Amino acid sequence: MHCPFCRHSDSRVVDSRTSDDGASIRRRRQCPQCNRRFTTLETASLSVVKRSGVTEPFSRAKVVSGVRKACQGRPVSEDDLALLAQRVEEAVRATGSAELDAYEIGLTILGPLRELDEVAYLRFASVYQAFDSLDDFEAAINLLRMEHAQALAASDDESAPGSTESIG
Ligand SMILES: [Zn+2]
């Protein structure tokens, strides 16, 4: 690790701290040549195996760029995308495997994207899951509708906790 100030090729660790979530270690380093201090962040590497067989490091930026197109014209901000990518990374790390294929990453994106914007979700799912007919869209939309109805029914129950009425 080169010193960012004088480009000296060595540095001494003066302090190490694990982040709250345990996913990274922050090290405070000092350059023996210019004596200036800088910080490095160390995370466990997470690899993605692409369909071509090529392995590359997991990247939140790649998640964001993969999802951005599906979010065009939708009320989704850059912050939303960054948060989505963070959730995807957390979910991927939680699987405990150091190597995942690109398909699994895509599956992991679907859940948080659906919570973010359902239209973007349908767009992404249609490409990702290779919808090839209107029936595929219809099935996905019906599933969303059904879950909306269930969510609505559940919130109705909660809004009337003292109610003794029953339906049917
Ligand atoms: Zn230096």
Side-chain angles (χ1 to χ4, degrees):
M1 179 72 65
H2 288 278
C3 168
F5 305 106
C6 72
R7 311 290 301 158
H8 186 70
S9 62
D10 198 15
S11 60
R12 193 167 57 89
V13 175
V14 290
D15 185 38
S16 291
R17 234 167 259 191
T18 307
S19 66
D20 291 339
D21 61 4
S24 60
I25 293 178
R26 198 175 280 278
R27 293 190 204 281
R28 197 79 184 125
R29 293 172 179 272
Q30 186 166 29
C31 173
Q33 184 163 283
C34 70
N35 283 324
R36 293 171 90 166
R37 293 188 171 196
F38 57 98
T39 302
T40 56
L41 194 64
E42 185 179 296
T43 54
S45 76
L46 199 57
S47 303
V48 180
V49 185
K50 298 169 76 173
R51 215 181 301 173
S52 59
V54 174
T55 302
E56 60 178 29
F58 174 85
S59 136
R60 288 190 196 181
K62 283 258 168 69
V63 171
V64 169
S65 67
V67 166
R68 182 178 279 125
K69 201 187 263 180
C71 294
Q72 261 172 20
R74 301 298 305 163
V76 174
S77 69
E78 286 300 309
D79 283 353
D80 291 334
L81 289 176
L83 193 63
L84 179 136
Q86 185 189 328
R87 289 182 61 188
V88 169
E89 178 171 354
E90 282 164 4
V92 164
R93 287 194 185 277
T95 64
S97 48
E99 200 174 89
L100 289 106
D101 57 51
Y103 186 77
E104 290 172 273
I105 306 284
L107 281 181
T108 311
I109 290 172
L110 287 172
L113 183 57
R114 198 170 105 177
E115 283 174 36
L116 189 59
D117 187 278
E118 288 179 339
V119 172
Y121 160 78
L122 282 173
R123 285 177 184 161
F124 185 84
S126 71
V127 175
Y128 178 72
Q129 296 181 317
F131 287 11
D132 57 12
S133 70
L134 282 178
D135 290 346
D136 288 339
F137 277 96
E138 204 177 346
I141 291 168
N142 282 342
L143 195 65
L144 285 175
R145 286 217 174 103
M146 210 169 74
E147 289 178 9
H148 278 214
Q150 281 170 357
L152 204 62
S155 69
D156 278 353
D157 287 347
E158 281 166 29
S159 65
S163 171
T164 52
E165 285 176 72
S166 64
I167 302 161

